[in-house]
Amino acid sequence: SQTIHQWPATLVQPVGSPLSLECTVEGTSNPNLYWYRQAAGRGLQLLFYSVGIGQISSEVPQNLSASRPQDRQFILSSKKLLLSDSGFYLCAWTPTRVSSKLFFGSGTQLSVL
Amino acid sequence: EDKVVQSPLSLVVHEGDTVTLNCSYEVTNFRSLLWYKQEKKAPTFLFMLTSSGIEKKSGRLSSILDKKELFSILNITATQTGDSAIYLCAVPTMDSNYQLIWGAGTKLIIKP
């Protein structure tokens, strides 16, 4: 069966520090991978998605970047965090290249202080 | 501009009550609508609706789509405290199935 792992679960970082959140999917190949951010009381905002290794599409210009070094690995990064980067980050995948049904990781609560 | 609007934003009921959550949408070239439940962390999939008037059902939860009036409802009967969660609605955009437009969610609290 397919599983998705996302870590860490919580993270407190000072302003200006770097960020690296990792997500891996098991039990499938060639998944579409996504990074979302969820602000309190708001819907999910798509940050990045990837349809293959090294293929990254950015939806929102910002302080963050994403990389997909392996087929089932998706990394969210920042060189210098801003206060506004605080939020709940979710990794997700879809099992086929044309599927709306997302499966989510358990999320990372990021607090930038 | 494509958008998805959920109502109410929050709802507090007592255990045993029945609730109806609403999701309206304005999306070019509509194909499907999805419901998710988010308890603490990861949203979990509930339903995908593509055809108007056909009810999807899972236990005490059910959902139906009205493509003419551009909305969907999620019903929960005989609510339990474990139903407390944020319920999210999403619709794929016209461009691809990669991107979903999400509603802000309905925060449902079930009091014992």
Side-chain angles (χ1 to χ4, degrees), chain B:
Chain B
E1 182 183 349
D2 295 338
K3 62 180 180 180
V4 174
V5 179
Q6 291 186 246
S7 63
L9 292 181
S10 64
L11 185 59
V12 182
V13 299
H14 287 96
E15 212 168 12
D17 289 349
T18 293
V19 298
T20 298
L21 310 182
N22 301 285
C23 176
S24 63
Y25 60 89
E26 292 180 24
V27 176
T28 305
N29 194 22
F30 174 85
R31 286 165 294 181
S32 62
L33 182 146
L34 297 93
W35 283 99
Y36 281 82
K37 177 183 180 182
Q38 185 178 24
E39 293 184 69
K40 288 185 179 180
K41 294 184 177 180
T44 54
F45 174 80
L46 294 176
F47 300 111
M48 177 186 284
L49 303 159
T50 57
S51 300
S52 198
I54 297 177
E55 184 182 56
K56 292 281 184 89
K57 195 171 174 66
S58 177
R60 296 175 293 102
L61 276 67
S62 64
S63 184
I64 198 162
L65 177 67
D66 187 327
K67 291 170 76 172
K68 181 179 179 183
E69 300 297 330
L70 308 182
F71 75 93
S72 173
I73 60 171
L74 176 67
N75 275 322
I76 308 176
T77 59
T79 52
Q80 303 170 359
T81 54
D83 295 326
S84 295
I86 297 173
Y87 290 84
L88 297 164
C89 170
V91 177
T93 62
M94 176 184 71
D95 295 333
S96 72
N97 274 316
Y98 306 147
Q99 299 178 42
L100 294 171
I101 301 174
W102 293 84
T106 293
K107 185 175 183 179
L108 176 63
I109 298 173
I110 310 296
K111 288 188 172 181

